Amino acid sequence: TPERGLVYVNQAFARMFGYASPEEMLVLTSGMLYEDPDRREQLKRQITAHGFFVNEEVRFRRRDGAVFWGLVSSTGIP
C-alpha cells in the first residue's frame, strides 16, 4: 500500500533483493527498496490518481547496495 508499504513478500522476491526470508522484508518500508526516492513518490501519485500502474521501469536497491532494474505493475489496496 502507498502508506504502509509491503503487505506480502514471497521467497523469490526476498532472494531477488538479497534477503534470507520474506519476514525480514516485511519490517522494511518499501521506499527503502527504491534507488530513487522521487521515483517511488511518482508511482505513489499514479496509484492515488488512477488506482494502479502497469509496466513501469524502476531502479531498485538490493540489501548489499547493488542496483538493478525491475519492471513493475501495482494495484493500490484501500
Side-chain angles (χ1 to χ4, degrees):
T1 66
E3 295 80 25
R4 183 172 165 216
L6 300 170
V7 293
Y8 172 78
V9 173
N10 65 25
Q11 187 64 42
F13 188 83
R15 277 194 314 266
M16 182 171 52
F17 280 90
Y19 290 85
S21 72
E23 293 76 22
E24 279 186 279
M25 293 195 76
L26 290 175
V27 300
L28 303 174
T29 62
S30 55
M32 295 172 66
L33 304 176
Y34 287 76
E35 191 243 350
D36 179 5
D38 292 334
R39 182 67 169 131
R40 165 117 170 97
E41 292 305 314
Q42 178 188 34
L43 294 173
K44 284 172 56 176
R45 287 191 299 274
Q46 285 184 342
I47 288 176
T48 300
H50 306 289
F52 67 96
F53 60 82
V54 178
N55 295 332
E56 294 285 342
E57 293 181 348
V58 176
R59 286 174 55 97
F60 289 108
R61 185 171 308 279
R62 288 191 174 96
R63 184 178 194 175
D64 67 2
V67 175
F68 68 100
W69 283 98
L71 185 65
V72 296
S73 299
S74 184
T75 300
I77 301 171

